[in-house]
Amino acid sequence: MRGFNRLTRGATQLGFVDILTAAILLGILLYAATLQFSVYNRPPAQPVAVGAATSK
């Protein structure tokens, strides 16, 4: 059992893979957020006048 306890980690001990995984996930989330909210970086579209609509 001594060797098994040596391989276990506490909740507060972070390894390199944990930090790398967190950085990759953060990058993916930030990239998705920039795609989702990129509409706010554009100027608003010009509204179409109601009188300009044609009916056939």
Side-chain angles (χ1 to χ4, degrees):
M1 286 303 276
R2 184 175 180 194
F4 179 73
N5 288 335
R6 184 174 56 89
L7 295 176
T8 60
R9 296 184 301 165
T12 59
Q13 294 178 349
L14 294 177
F16 175 75
V17 176
D18 298 324
I19 301 298
L20 184 64
T21 303
I24 290 172
L25 287 176
L26 182 63
I28 291 171
L29 290 174
L30 287 174
Y31 176 72
T34 57
L35 291 179
Q36 182 177 4
F37 297 110
S38 65
V39 68
Y40 296 116
N41 294 332
R42 296 185 208 138
Q46 297 296 328
V48 178
V50 176
T54 60
S55 61
K56 292 183 179 183

